Amino acid sequence: MPVWDDLVGQDRVQAQLAAAARDADALVTAVSDGVPPPAASKMTHAWLFTGPPGSGRSTAARAFAAALQCTSPDRALGGEPGCGFCEGCHTTLVGTHADVEIVRTDLLSIGVKETRELVRRAQLSPAVGRWQVIVLEDADRLTEGAGNVLLKAVEEPAPRTVWLLCAPSLEDVLPTIRSRCRHLTLRTPPVAAVADVLVRRDGIEPAVAAAAARATQGHIGRARRLATDEAARSRRATVLRLPLRVDDVGGCLKAAQELVDAAAEDAKQVAEEVDTKETEELRAALGAGAGAGSRMPRGTAGVMKELEDRQKRRRTRTQRDSLDLALIDLTGFYRDVLALQLGSGLAIANEEIRADLDRIARASGPERTLRRIEAIIACRDALDRNVAPLLAVEAMTMALRAG
Ligand SMILES: [Zn+2]
C-alpha cells in the first residue's frame, strides 16, 4: 500500500505492521457494527521501533499511524488500510491529524511535566479518527521520572489508544517500558535501496544518489541531505581531510578547534532561524508590545526564563548532534582505511578520496587503524557524558596523530 512507500528495505517490519493495521481496522469496524471483535488480533496498544539512526524508525511509526487512521472506502471492499490518499492517511502523514500526536524533541531529555501532558491526552477518545495515536520519536530521552509516568499509561491504555515509541536500541529504553511494548527492529537499508529511493522520490541524478548513499552507508536522511545540500557536502569534505592534517601537535589542536567551531556555528545558525521568532511569538502571546525593548507585563518573567533555558539546551544539543555527525564521517574514513589494509573486499564508502585512503593505509597497520577508530568512539562517549567538547575532541585528534 502507498502508505509504506517511504520505508526502505524493511519488508519484514512492513508485513507485521500491515497485518496489525488490518486487524486494527477489523476491530474498530466490529465495535462500530456492534458485533464481537475477532478473537485473535495482531494489533496491540504499545509498540517500540528500534533501529540504527537513519533506518526509518519514525517513518515506520508515522506510516503505521496513517494506516490506523485510513478511512479509504476500499477497505470495506476487502482492500488494505493505508491508501495514502484519504483524509485519515494524508493528514497523518503531513502531521495535522487531530488524533495523532507526534512528539519530537530538540532537547536532551523529556521530563515529567511533558509526559504527564501526553498521558492526559492519551486518555481521550479519538475526536475524528479511528484511534488516538501518540508517536514518541525519542523514547530514549525520557527521564526515569517521565518513564514512570508513561509506564502507567502503557500498562492500562484507553481502549482506542496506541503508543508508538522509537529509540535507537532496546537498551536505550527503560526495561519496565520496553517489556510492555511489542518490539520491531529496523535494519540499516542496503545502499542500493537508498540510492533507488533518492532517484525515484526526490528526482536526484542516479550517479549523485549512488555516491551519497554509499558515503552515508544506508542513512536515508543524511544521504538525501548530502545529495541536495552543497554546504553539507563541503562540510563533509573538510572532515574527511582531517586525517591528513594531524601530523603534529599543532595540527591536531588546530583541527580540533575547527571541528568544534563548525559545530558551534551550526548551532548558532539554527538558533538564529528559530529562537528570535519563538521569543517574539511568546512575547506577543503574553501581551508585550512589539520590539525587544518594550516592557513585559508583570508575572511573565518566569515563562520567558523557561523559554530561554529551553533555547539554551537546544543549542547545546544541536552542537552535539553536529559534532557527532562529523565523528561518524571520520569513523567511516578509518573504516575504509581498515578495509584497504585488510584487503577484505568490503565496499569503500569514500571512493572519491581513494588516494588519501591509500596513503594512510600504507603509512600504518590495521592495529593502528583500530586504535584510531577506538579514539573516535571514546570521543563520542565523552561527548555523551557532557565532557567539554574541545577537550574531548583534542584528546581524539592527538590520538589520531601519525606514528
Ligand atoms: Zn487511507
Side-chain angles (χ1 to χ4, degrees), residues 11-279:
D11 298 349
R12 209 173 44 86
V13 166
Q14 184 181 321
Q16 281 175 282
L17 290 175
R22 226 165 22 234
D23 286 356
D25 189 50
L27 199 73
V28 175
T29 306
V31 171
S32 71
D33 291 351
V35 300
S41 174
K42 296 192 173 71
M43 181 57 184
T44 187
H45 287 279
W47 298 76
L48 174 57
F49 298 80
T50 65
S55 55
R57 300 183 295 250
S58 55
T59 307
R62 243 173 232 254
F64 185 39
L68 290 176
Q69 303 291 20
C70 183
T71 52
S72 156
D74 292 348
R75 288 170 14 262
L77 307 169
E80 301 235 341
C83 70
F85 301 104
C86 71
E87 184 76 8
C89 281
H90 176 73
T91 52
T92 303
L93 292 175
V94 300
T96 56
H97 195 294
D99 297 315
V100 180
E101 175 83 9
I102 294 171
V103 186
R104 164 188 285 162
T105 183
D106 45 24
L107 302 179
L108 291 168
S109 62
I110 303 172
V112 170
K113 206 168 117 189
E114 296 105 304
T115 310
R116 282 220 177 93
E117 181 53 34
L118 280 181
V119 167
R120 191 194 58 76
R121 156 129 199 196
Q123 280 151 1
L124 304 174
S125 299
V128 295
R130 300 167 72 81
W131 298 87
Q132 178 74 249
V133 186
I134 299 176
V135 182
L136 198 50
E137 289 195 352
D138 307 281
D140 50 314
R141 299 212 174 105
L142 289 166
T143 63
E144 203 170 337
N148 290 332
V149 172
L150 183 64
L151 184 58
K152 288 199 190 69
V154 174
E155 264 174 344
E156 295 159 19
R160 286 291 180 81
T161 296
V162 186
W163 289 92
L164 306 179
L165 311 183
C166 308
S169 74
L170 270 184
E171 291 70 38
D172 293 314
V173 182
L174 298 171
T176 43
I177 299 227
R178 67 181 189 232
S179 66
R180 283 161 181 85
C181 294
R182 185 163 307 162
H183 180 213
L184 293 175
T185 314
L186 287 93
R187 58 181 189 138
T188 298
V191 167
V194 173
D196 178 59
V197 86
L198 292 183
V199 173
R200 204 160 31 82
R201 199 179 47 194
D202 302 295
I204 292 165
E205 284 286 310
V208 177
R214 202 173 50 230
T216 52
Q217 296 287 297
H219 190 305
I220 302 163
R222 293 185 56 216
R224 179 174 298 121
R225 177 143 175 251
L226 208 57
T228 54
D229 181 354
E230 177 62 43
R233 275 201 292 275
S234 107
R235 277 286 298 283
R236 186 180 142 79
T238 310
V239 169
L240 293 179
R241 275 195 299 274
L242 187 139
L244 309 174
R245 301 173 50 209
V246 288
D247 290 335
D248 53 40
V249 174
C252 291
L253 297 182
K254 189 155 177 274
Q257 184 73 55
E258 283 175 15
L259 263 189
V260 173
D261 286 350
E265 184 56 35
D266 256 9
K268 203 175 125 208
Q269 261 176 28
V270 172
E272 276 165 5
E273 280 163 29
V274 186
D275 289 7
T276 319
K277 184 163 171 275
E278 207 175 50
T279 306

